[in-house]
Amino acid sequence: MSSEKNWHSMPVEEVFKMLDTSPSGLSQEEARRRLEVYGYNRLEEEKKVSPLKLFIEQFKNPLTALLLFATILSLLIGETLDAVVIIVLVLAGALLGFYQEYRAERALEALKKMSSPQATVIRDGVIKVVSSEEVVPGDIIVLSAGDKIAADARLIETVDLRVDEAILTGESAPVDKETGILEVDTPLAERTNMVFAGTAVVYGKGKGVVVATGTNTELGKIAESLQEVKTEKTPLEKQLDMLGKVLLILMVIVATIVSLVGMFYWKMRLIDLILWAVSLAVAAVPEALPVIVTGSLAIGVYKMAKRKAIVRKLPAVETLGSTTYICSDKTGTMTKGEMTVVKAWIFDQEIEVTGTGYQPVGKLLSNKEPVNISENKALELLLLNAFNNNDAQLVQEDSKWTLRGDTTEGALKVFALKAGINQSLERIGEIPFSSERKRMSTLHPWREFNVMFVKGATEIILQLSSKIMLPSGKLFDINEDIRERIMKVNDDFARQGLRNIAFAVKFFPSEKNVIKEEDEGDLIFLGIAALIDPPRPEVYPALETCRRAGIKVAMITGDHKLTAVTVAKQLGLLDEGDVVITGTELEKLNDNDLENMVEKIRVFARVSPEHKLRIVRALKKKNHVVAMTGDGVNDAPALKAADVGIAMGITGSEVAKEAAAMVLADDNFATIVEAIKLGREIFENIRKYLIYLLSANIAELLTPLFATFLGLPIPFTATQLLWINLITDGAPAIALSLEPGEPDLLERKPRKPNSPIFTREEIIGFLVTTPLILTISLTLLFKNLIDLGIPEVEARTTLFTTMILTELLLAYLLRSLRRPIYELSPLRNKTLILVLILSFVIQLGMLSIPIVQAALNISKISIDDFEKALIVLALIFVTVETSKAIIRILEKRQYP
Ligand code: ATP
């Protein structure tokens, strides 16, 4: 269906007819059929990397290409065996690389699916949330504030609908939308009865019939210019690129020196030298490091997703681990978000409401006696207000009541139903709720009037009211005394941790059929309903974990200060000396004042979304790594500004999700802490296997160099180098990345972002001392064997075997960069143990298989030689464990 048609100049009925649909939407069956005809609603076919292509790409790296080239050369001059062995080893290496990348690719793909955007449509007459990709022409889409519009649509219903179309038109002010018919030649930017894919609803609500999807949308037409979404390199990957370069330079130096010596001293043939030097390069330069790291991050992200934290941006995994401050919404994140009205107040009587959950069964009691609604005009109107100024839907599925919509409104609807009020009034006007307004108004014909129902935060409703209704229906002017009494009731409820919603009405003559903000004054106050929203039990231990991990937590809420304080106290979030501040107080602070006190503030109450941005900025100025949660469309700027923006998966708007780096599938605070823990674990594991790979590779590079200095023969042949590379760089490194987090991972202070991957002590201990000791002992071992007159082949075999065994030991020791190895049970990482045992057996077994002996140019080794190898192993054990111990002592001194 093309958008060339002038949908904007047609009456809505004609649009329905042309698209063969109706206000009650398509049937599920028809939608499926249309999906086949029109295709998925997306801009480009997902570029899937085929496994074959991925495999071929493994050979694209220049070193491998060079190696293959040199091998072909050696084949040409008749060195068949070496050439075949090299080709086999290169193929095996490519397979390993392929496996790693394929695994990462798959994890990323799965992730993309999880975080794909959603759209609300009407199918089979009921509201349904579907993946945006499944929207088809003819669908009725339902729009509300915070939605990212999935397809081009002709509007059929709007309530104060405002849309940000900057992405299409460049115009940053939101556009007011309505349903009327427009001139045929109206330019795109002025087609106010249409909404377009990719734009966002910033206010109000509406419905539209989809006229174009996918590449047929206006966005699709300009999509090419928008497709520059690059995957950014993480700070870690950038550091690794650097590291790779350093190793490359080192490699070139070593290769040059050794080649010169080889040519003039060992009198090696040029082709053998080239093969050798290139093999050294392949073995020593961890070309694939960034890929392996991306793979680890991607797989980590996959693990997080299983625990309900969906990371949308890869670098966030890294940043999460170094989070120092979490600013979390209260409602639904720290609390369960399952609201129930438990109390109500009308002048001057407190009402108790029984029953729990969304099942509309319960009683309204006053002084333990059932309340007679029909004799209580104020209460009756309050309940009618609660029922009709309400967008929530309660549905009974298999005898269980579930809620579709906002939890506060759901609870209010249940409250009305418990009292037997279920009269649904036609809604002819509306001013929607927003976190800034903290109220919502609707207009309905009722008896001889058009009545406006207003509900919202008590102080705001009270401010807009001039009268109060008594149970008898009589009206009373609100004087200072009554104002105080109302606020006292409100504060008493709030102090019990209850969330208050106040209600008011205004009567208009029946001609009045639109309402505007100016009409929200001179109201008649009806009363207050108080809702309970208990804390999530899992938040208590999560907060305790944060405390130990050096992460500060602040609660941010639109709720009343006293409600927030009570909940914060219940959670143990408030300590002596902590500050609680409201949005109004925050506004009075300048940026400087805010920065100076922001770290002391534990609770921000009655805040609006724009305050969140200021809070993030102030904390960042204080050098914090800030995680900030949000759900509404107006939270997006704060989510973007935060180091880790976190959107709610269930209640969050599409706009918030898009701005966020992570989405909480369960809206749960505890999940944030879990994700931080995983973030630290992943980062620490990356560090472990980096240290492992680097220290081993440095030794591989230095040993030939040292051997040349001592006038020894070449210590490893080309095929041996490739074999070492294959057996040690692959499986043990991957297995090391599966190491479960160390028990004290969350006892440590957060890592400073952008600080080097390794500390100075780690570099000295693991990347200088360890490889040096390994190199020196290997070279001395080699010298000793040669001096003893042992044949070169056997000496080389011993050296080669020792090198591999030491690297396996190194993998085992580096399971922790701090803890002594005996403190970590070997069974914590069964994969690693399995890999190490297998590698060990293969290595020793190989020594006695004739064909392998021939292929790798090795022989058997004697028990004597083996004993010497054990000395090297022991030396490395002592070096690594001593390095750890020294680092432990130095760090204790630094942060006791
Ligand atoms: P959090 O930021 O912790 O999620 P919140 O959900 O309480 O807090 P808002 O949704 O911004 O924050 O609500 C702010 C206030 O607006 C509430 O305390 C309540 O008084 C009022 N309010 C909330 N929902 C509605 C609604 N649907 N209609 C009218 N008023 C509402």
Side-chain angles (χ1 to χ4, degrees):
M1 196 71 41
S2 115
S3 55
E4 303 306 323
K5 291 206 177 68
N6 292 312
W7 303 106
H8 59 279
S9 61
M10 295 179 197
V12 172
E13 296 69 33
E14 197 181 327
V15 177
F16 281 135
K17 216 154 112 206
M18 289 191 66
L19 291 167
D20 192 16
T21 183
S22 74
S24 52
L26 302 171
S27 67
Q28 193 61 34
E29 195 58 44
E30 176 62 15
R32 202 170 307 131
R33 202 188 60 75
R34 289 190 190 195
L35 192 61
E36 263 163 40
V37 177
Y38 298 109
Y40 281 103
N41 176 32
R42 57 187 171 214
L43 291 187
E44 54 158 350
E45 267 315 303
E46 298 263 322
K47 276 200 229 95
K48 261 207 186 140
V49 192
S50 77
L52 184 67
K53 198 167 158 232
L54 205 62
F55 183 68
I56 291 172
E57 268 175 15
Q58 303 301 318
F59 299 97
K60 279 198 183 149
N61 112 35
L63 287 179
T64 315
L66 205 62
L67 186 62
L68 283 179
F69 180 69
T71 316
I72 291 170
L73 271 188
S74 78
L75 250 182
L76 288 181
I77 56 164
E79 297 270 334
T80 344
L81 184 60
D82 257 11
V84 170
V85 174
I86 290 182
I87 289 177
V88 169
L89 290 178
V90 167
L91 274 178
L95 264 177
L96 201 73
F98 162 77
Y99 168 71
Q100 281 171 344
E101 259 191 74
Y102 185 65
R103 207 165 64 129
E105 211 45 67
R106 283 257 307 271
L108 280 178
E109 231 171 70
L111 210 75
K112 252 193 224 138
K113 271 198 202 116
M114 269 185 273
S115 57
S116 79
Q118 297 183 315
T120 311
V121 294
I122 301 182
R123 295 253 175 99
D124 291 325
V126 291
I127 292 185
K128 265 208 159 115
V129 178
V130 297
S131 157
S132 290
E133 292 195 337
E134 289 166 20
V135 171
V136 292
D139 258 331
I140 304 294
I141 46 171
V142 182
L143 304 169
S144 54
D147 282 357
K148 180 104 189 194
I149 295 167
D152 289 2
R154 166 74 157 89
L155 291 167
I156 55 175
E157 234 180 85
T158 57
V159 180
D160 277 347
L161 185 67
R162 262 172 253 165
V163 177
D164 176 354
E165 294 187 336
I167 184 173
L168 269 192
T169 61
E171 171 58 54
S172 58
V175 186
D176 283 306
K177 295 287 180 180
E178 80 238 327
T179 56
I181 300 170
L182 298 170
E183 292 290 326
V184 176
D185 52 4
T186 313
L188 187 70
E190 289 163 29
R191 291 187 194 164
T192 49
N193 60 6
M194 300 277 301
V195 287
F196 303 102
T199 62
V201 181
V202 290
Y203 191 76
K205 31 190 218 177
K207 277 184 198 160
V209 48
V210 173
V211 298
T213 58
T215 44
N216 291 325
T217 60
E218 294 298 328
L219 185 72
K221 291 183 198 157
I222 56 161
E224 257 129 66
S225 62
L226 292 168
Q227 268 171 20
E228 53 198 63
V229 243
K230 283 205 202 90
T231 33
E232 348 161 20
K233 284 204 163 167
T234 77
L236 183 66
E237 284 172 298
K238 283 186 205 142
Q239 287 194 41
L240 287 180
D241 281 351
M242 267 297 293
L243 223 102
K245 285 193 186 115
V246 172
L247 270 181
L248 196 68
I249 294 171
L250 196 68
M251 192 280 300
V252 170
I253 297 174
V254 173
T256 314
I257 298 181
V258 177
S259 297
L260 287 176
V261 174
M263 208 148 30
F264 298 108
Y265 181 75
W266 295 327
K267 307 263 183 308
M268 279 168 77
R269 278 187 314 173
L270 187 65
I271 179 70
D272 289 339
L273 258 184
I274 295 178
L275 259 186
W276 187 85
V278 179
S279 300
L280 180 72
V282 170
V285 179
E287 269 270 305
L289 260 196
V291 177
I292 302 179
V293 170
T294 314
S296 282
L297 290 176
I299 288 155
V301 159
Y302 192 67
K303 262 198 203 165
M304 287 190 181
K306 276 204 210 138
R307 298 194 209 169
K308 304 253 188 303
I310 296 161
V311 173
R312 297 187 61 250
K313 296 172 186 162
L314 213 49
V317 178
E318 230 176 295
T319 331
L320 260 174
S322 41
T323 302
T324 61
Y325 226 102
I326 309 176
C327 299
S328 170
D329 284 336
K330 170 182 74 72
T331 311
T333 312
M334 297 184 127
T335 64
K336 286 188 175 168
E338 294 165 7
M339 311 257 182
T340 315
V341 176
V342 287
K343 283 181 185 171
W345 177 88
I346 34 151
F347 196 77
D348 195 17
Q349 140 188 47
E350 194 174 307
I351 291 161
E352 210 182 304
V353 186
T354 65
T356 54
Y358 294 116
Q359 191 184 8
V361 179
K363 290 195 189 82
L364 274 62
L365 306 172
S366 170
N367 290 326
K368 309 252 182 280
E369 294 296 315
V371 182
N372 188 343
I373 311 285
S374 56
E375 283 174 11
N376 195 331
K377 292 280 170 298
L379 183 60
E380 189 180 2
L381 264 175
L382 185 153
L383 291 164
L384 204 59
N385 181 338
F387 191 80
N388 286 289
N389 180 325
N390 200 317
D391 291 324
Q393 285 179 19
L394 290 169
V395 262
Q396 197 176 14
E397 281 167 353
D398 314 326
S399 78
K400 199 174 163 262
W401 288 86
T402 51
L403 164 72
R404 299 227 173 101
D406 177 58
T407 49
T408 304
E409 296 201 339
L412 293 173
K413 201 155 223 176
V414 173
F415 172 44
L417 287 172
K418 280 176 182 170
I421 299 288
N422 58 5
Q423 187 191 356
S424 189
L425 303 176
E426 185 196 354
R427 190 187 292 185
I428 54 175
E430 170 177 356
I431 313 176
F433 170 79
S434 76
S435 293
E436 285 90 355
R437 282 169 35 81
K438 297 189 172 52
R439 61 183 183 276
M440 159 170 172
S441 301
T442 52
L443 186 68
H444 314 263
W446 184 67
R447 301 191 180 156
E448 66 272 37
F449 311 102
N450 276 355
V451 63
M452 176 170 76
F453 288 137
V454 188
K455 75 174 193 302
T458 309
E459 63 272 26
I460 290 182
I461 302 298
L462 187 57
Q463 222 169 38
L464 299 172
S465 302
S466 55
K467 295 194 168 57
I468 185 165
M469 187 180 283
L470 307 189
S472 61
K474 255 206 202 135
L475 300 184
F476 223 84
D477 279 338
I478 296 182
N479 55 25
E480 219 24 63
D481 174 46
I482 292 180
R483 189 173 300 276
E484 267 169 30
R485 275 163 76 176
I486 294 174
M487 280 325 286
K488 186 177 171 308
V489 173
N490 183 68
D491 292 356
D492 282 348
F493 285 162
R495 235 175 255 120
Q496 297 164 36
L498 302 175
R499 177 186 177 91
N500 293 321
I501 301 284
F503 297 85
V505 282
K506 187 169 180 176
F507 297 97
F508 292 105
S510 57
E511 298 82 62
K512 172 96 179 167
N513 48 26
V514 267
I515 42 171
K516 301 228 166 58
E517 284 210 349
E518 327 48 299
D519 295 317
E520 292 174 317
D522 221 356
L523 307 179
I524 302 164
F525 195 90
L526 295 171
I528 302 174
L531 295 78
I532 193 167
D533 179 18
R536 287 175 182 266
E538 60 276 27
V539 172
Y540 296 87
L543 282 171
E544 181 50 37
T545 307
C546 288
R547 204 163 295 135
R548 280 189 282 123
I551 303 167
K552 287 195 167 185
V553 180
M555 174 192 278
I556 300 195
T557 175
D559 239 334
H560 192 272
K561 184 171 177 174
L562 290 171
T563 313
V565 166
T566 308
V567 176
K569 276 192 184 146
Q570 281 172 3
L571 287 169
L573 188 63
L574 271 178
D575 282 331
E576 204 69 32
D578 286 342
V579 177
V580 177
I581 194 174
T582 64
T584 327
E585 289 161 351
L586 188 83
E587 263 161 30
K588 289 187 193 128
L589 296 176
N590 64 29
D591 287 347
N592 241 335
D593 296 339
L594 181 61
E595 269 163 46
N596 288 334
M597 65 181 298
V598 69
E599 288 170 296
K600 289 204 199 82
I601 308 175
R602 285 279 77 76
V603 177
F604 297 86
R606 277 286 190 252
V607 290
S608 299
E610 76 263 18
H611 297 138
K612 285 186 168 181
L613 187 60
R614 285 192 65 200
I615 298 169
V616 169
R617 289 202 174 130
L619 284 170
K620 282 182 96 171
K621 269 271 172 63
K622 285 282 174 192
N623 290 324
H624 281 292
V625 179
V626 187
M628 165 70 82
T629 68
D631 47 14
V633 51
N634 300 335
D635 288 335
L639 294 184
K640 275 206 185 114
D643 297 284
V644 190
I646 303 173
M648 298 301 139
I650 303 170
T651 57
S653 61
E654 284 302 319
V655 173
K657 286 182 195 168
E658 205 177 66
M662 185 168 100
V663 176
L664 295 181
D666 59 356
D667 289 12
N668 190 341
F669 177 81
T671 305
I672 306 176
V673 181
E674 192 66 25
I676 291 180
K677 186 171 143 204
L678 267 174
R680 286 194 183 185
E681 189 178 306
I682 292 162
F683 193 78
E684 190 61 14
N685 281 350
I686 289 179
R687 278 165 27 84
K688 285 175 196 170
Y689 72 69
L690 282 180
I691 288 201
Y692 163 67
L693 283 179
L694 291 174
S695 62
N697 284 6
I698 293 173
E700 282 163 27
L701 265 177
L702 292 182
T703 310
L705 192 67
F706 280 37
T708 344
F709 291 158
L710 292 184
L712 295 168
I714 203 152
F716 305 115
T717 65
T719 43
Q720 285 167 0
L721 277 171
L722 291 175
W723 175 261
I724 295 179
N725 183 47
L726 185 69
I727 206 154
T728 59
D729 273 18
I734 298 176
L736 203 52
S737 76
L738 298 175
E739 185 70 24
E742 286 170 55
D744 64 344
L745 205 58
L746 280 172
E747 315 269 317
R748 302 181 197 161
K749 295 272 160 297
R751 160 182 182 271
K752 294 227 161 41
N754 289 326
S755 58
I757 320 174
F758 311 120
T759 65
R760 207 185 44 209
E761 292 77 15
E762 285 166 349
I763 294 178
I764 296 174
F766 302 129
L767 297 182
V768 176
T769 316
T770 308
L772 266 184
I773 302 250
L774 182 55
T775 306
I776 293 172
S777 52
L778 283 177
T779 320
L780 290 181
L781 170 71
F782 194 47
K783 182 172 169 35
N784 173 264
L785 296 172
I786 297 288
D787 287 351
L788 284 174
I790 288 172
E792 256 181 49
V793 172
E794 193 186 323
R796 217 172 263 139
T797 309
T798 309
L799 190 68
F800 163 67
T801 308
T802 314
M803 181 80 205
I804 288 188
L805 295 186
T806 344
E807 289 197 26
L808 297 180
L809 173 71
L810 212 51
Y812 187 74
L813 295 180
L814 290 173
R815 290 169 56 210
S816 169
L817 302 179
R818 296 288 180 279
R819 269 164 198 276
I821 200 61
Y822 51 81
E823 275 189 17
L824 287 175
S825 150
L827 295 180
R828 275 163 54 82
N829 187 348
K830 296 197 186 74
T831 320
L832 182 68
I833 297 300
L834 202 71
V835 164
L836 293 184
I837 292 177
L838 266 179
S839 310
F840 183 79
V841 171
I842 291 177
Q843 182 61 25
L844 291 190
M846 251 179 42
L847 295 178
S848 43
I849 302 173
I851 181 167
V852 182
Q853 283 183 353
L856 290 176
N857 221 325
I858 52 176
S859 64
K860 275 201 172 149
I861 57 173
S862 67
I863 292 289
D864 253 10
D865 295 346
F866 199 69
E867 277 170 7
K868 286 176 187 154
L870 283 181
I871 300 178
V872 178
L873 286 169
L875 258 174
I876 291 309
F877 180 87
V878 173
T879 312
V880 173
E881 289 300 314
T882 315
S883 300
K884 286 189 202 171
I886 293 176
I887 294 175
R888 281 199 304 271
I889 293 168
L890 289 179
E891 280 182 355
K892 271 246 168 61
R893 237 181 251 160
Q894 231 172 321
Y895 344 85

